[in-house]
Structure formats: C-alpha cells, structure tokens
Amino acid sequence: MRFIGITGGIGAGKSEILHFIEKEYPARIILADELAHQLMQPDGICFPKIRELFSGEDMFLSSGGLDPVKVSEMIFRDKQKLEQLNRIVHPAVKREIIRIAEAERAAGTISYLILEAALLIEEGYGKICDELWLIDTSEKNRRIRLKETRGYSDEKIDAVFANQLSEEAYRTHCSIVIDNNGSLEEACRQVKAAFARLEPKKDV
C-alpha cells in the first residue's frame, strides 16, 4: 500500500480530483477536515477539552455541539483561541490518521491510502506519507472558483490566502505536481501518469 498525501491551496480543485481517484483506483480517501469535524463532535475524543476551552462562552448549539458559524467567526477575530483549538484537534487528527494507515497496511485490502489535508506540510505529514502531491492552480483561478462556488468575498479570500503556504513552499515539499489550471480531463490525465509510476511493472 502506498500512502499519498495530497494538498494545495483553497480553491485548487482537490475535491474533483479526489473523486476521480476514488472512482478509478483501489484507494481509500481520508479528508483531514472531515476527520477533525468527527473528533470535535460531542462523542469525539477532542470534545471534553473543547468544552473546557470554551467554558462560559456562547459557542455551542442547543444540541451540545460546537456552533460552526460561531467557530468560523472566532477563527478571524481571535487567533489565540484558534491556536488553542488547533493544539487540541491537530494532534488528535494525526494520531487517528496514523492508526488508520497502520490498520490499512495490516489489512492489505487497498493499494492506495490518500490523505487530503490543507496543512499537510505544516503538520509534518511528509514524515508519515510515502510521498506528497500538489494540486497546483493559479491564485487567479482559485479566486474565481471561490467566488463562484462558495460566494467568498475578496476580503475573505485575501484572509484565507494569507494563512496558506506560498506556491514555492508547496512545490519544495511535493514530489508530484498536478497542474489544475485547465480542464478536469487534463488534470486527470496527469493523475493517471502519476499513478502509472507506482504500478508494478509487468513482465514482458
């Protein structure tokens, strides 16, 4: 089993490429954001510490879970609180990803384990994954996509971009770069070529 980490700036079009991989290859996809969301639920392992972190604050829904709207607002107004939340969640996510990878290697039922994470490089997943891939899309195209698909304002896009790595930093850490500035078909052809490198050579 090959463990591949996939990253790229917000709006790079990672979801469409991951969907293609899941459809075409014997792969399991892990989305770090979804995993973090699960661990932050009232029955998740991070929740007791989160409840303590926000004790006395109006950050919870009537059902008991975190209010996603208020969390989103907090991210932009209180960097210290965000850092404290990340110190709770990120290590737990990493431990769970390592556990999943070990279990999948032992089971031997899939050829590829694919991890998509915005902070793939920052959180040191290069030491865990066999290789890192970058979905590379220009800032201009990412802006267009974020406005069209998520309704983001220029101000919000600027704030998000400011917290992400530079293109040079992404490229320094990733061994494979998928150019996603053209059509999805063009990007998928590059993905196929990248996977072809990993497939066992057939005897002639």
Side-chain angles (χ1 to χ4, degrees), residues 68-86:
V69 174
K70 291 179 179 177
V71 171
S72 181
E73 293 171 352
M74 179 273 295
I75 287 172
F76 287 98
R77 75 167 188 269
D78 192 337
K79 296 300 183 184
Q80 182 177 3
K81 212 70 166 199
L82 173 61
E83 290 175 2
Q84 291 173 319
L85 180 62
N86 286 344

Side-chain angles (χ1 to χ4, degrees), residues 15-130:
S15 296
E16 290 177 320
I17 289 175
L18 289 169
H19 178 70
F20 170 77
I21 292 172
E22 193 170 33
K23 183 177 67 172
E24 296 291 329
Y25 296 92
R28 175 178 176 180
I29 308 293
I30 304 175
L31 303 178
D33 281 351
E34 285 191 7
L35 184 55
H37 180 73
Q38 293 171 15
L39 299 181
M40 293 168 67
Q41 295 302 304
D43 60 349
I45 60 173
C46 294
F47 195 75
K49 289 183 179 179
I50 291 173
R51 171 66 76 177
E52 182 179 346
L53 175 64
F54 294 115
S55 176
E57 297 185 44
D58 182 25
M59 293 288 291
F60 298 91
L61 300 167
S62 58
S63 59
L66 273 173
D67 185 327
V69 174
K70 291 179 179 177
V71 171
S72 181
E73 293 171 352
M74 179 273 295
I75 287 172
F76 287 98
R77 75 167 188 269
D78 192 337
K79 296 300 183 184
Q80 182 177 3
K81 212 70 166 199
L82 173 61
E83 290 175 2
Q84 291 173 319
L85 180 62
N86 286 344
R87 283 199 293 270
I88 294 171
V89 177
H90 289 176
V93 169
K94 197 170 189 177
R95 287 193 296 270
E96 180 63 10
I97 288 170
I98 292 171
R99 185 197 68 76
I100 292 171
E102 290 174 346
E104 291 292 2
R105 285 191 191 280
T109 56
I110 60 173
S111 298
Y112 306 102
L113 182 62
I114 311 293
L115 168 65
E116 187 277 319
L119 300 178
L120 194 77
I121 295 167
E122 297 92 321
E123 289 295 311
Y125 282 103
K127 297 178 180 178
I128 300 169
C129 298
D130 294 316

Side-chain angles (χ1 to χ4, degrees), residues 136-175:
D136 186 50
T137 312
S138 71
E139 183 175 309
K140 177 183 177 181
N141 286 337
R142 289 192 288 136
R143 281 183 179 275
I144 293 171
R145 290 175 184 173
L146 290 171
K147 288 178 180 180
E148 291 179 347
T149 62
R150 306 193 193 188
Y152 281 12
S153 65
D154 283 317
E155 182 182 13
K156 185 167 185 176
I157 293 172
D158 288 341
V160 174
F161 282 5
N163 287 322
Q164 296 196 324
L165 294 176
S166 66
E167 180 181 340
E168 181 182 358
Y170 278 124
R171 286 175 173 270
T172 298
H173 290 86
C174 296
S175 58

